[in-house]
Amino acid sequence: MRKQYHFRPSAAGLRAWDVHRLIALTAELPIEHVPLAAIRELDETYWYDSEGDRPTCRSIAAHMQLVNDADLAYPVILCPQGRVMDGMHRIIKALLAGATDVQAYRLRDLPPPDYTGVDPDDLPYDD
């Protein structure tokens, strides 16, 4: 899996969680079946809000390639409040396939971010 981060804005600056660490935190969690209707991010700006990316046709095509490559065998990761922390491409793939729900791990507690106040371009991506 490519190195990736989950980002959230905060008063202290952009917070970033290492997705590999989030995956490790799900090792003992049960898998839930979450209705797609409960995924609020489906009706929000998600990829093009905090990362500085613009929704050009090329950028949308790159995301669609990631959607095509997504493997629905891996549950998505939700924070305790049900917000997506990993797996939006899988959620989109499930939506396009006509699914009504998606497998998910829900973290019991929100872990502290790995980075705060960082520019996404300054994070390590070669692990």
Side-chain angles (χ1 to χ4, degrees):
M1 179 176 86
R2 66 189 170 91
K3 186 69 166 180
Q4 54 191 322
Y5 296 91
H6 170 71
F7 298 105
R8 289 189 182 180
S10 77
L14 193 63
R15 296 178 297 166
W17 285 262
D18 182 324
V19 170
H20 287 99
R21 183 171 69 99
L22 294 176
I23 291 169
L25 292 173
T26 67
E28 303 296 322
L29 297 177
I31 294 174
E32 299 179 21
H33 291 272
V34 175
L36 290 175
I39 306 292
R40 293 176 289 189
E41 289 85 350
L42 284 171
D43 296 307
E44 299 173 357
T45 303
Y46 187 78
W47 292 309
Y48 299 105
D49 192 25
S50 64
E51 295 181 39
D53 198 3
R54 292 185 12 239
T56 64
C57 293
R58 186 176 309 279
S59 175
I60 291 168
H63 276 291
M64 291 313 300
Q65 186 61 54
L66 292 171
V67 168
N68 287 337
D69 294 343
D71 187 343
L72 294 175
Y74 297 99
V76 303
I77 300 174
L78 305 176
C79 76
Q81 294 75 34
R83 304 293 287 182
V84 176
M85 294 191 81
D86 176 57
M88 197 60 175
H89 293 103
R90 283 170 273 157
I91 291 168
I92 299 300
K93 186 169 191 163
L95 180 69
L96 291 172
T100 58
D101 63 35
V102 65
Q103 294 186 96
Y105 293 117
R106 185 182 308 264
L107 297 171
R108 291 184 180 110
D109 299 299
L110 185 65
D114 295 288
Y115 302 92
T116 300
V118 296
D119 184 309
D121 293 334
D122 293 337
L123 293 171
Y125 288 94
D126 20 329
D127 290 356

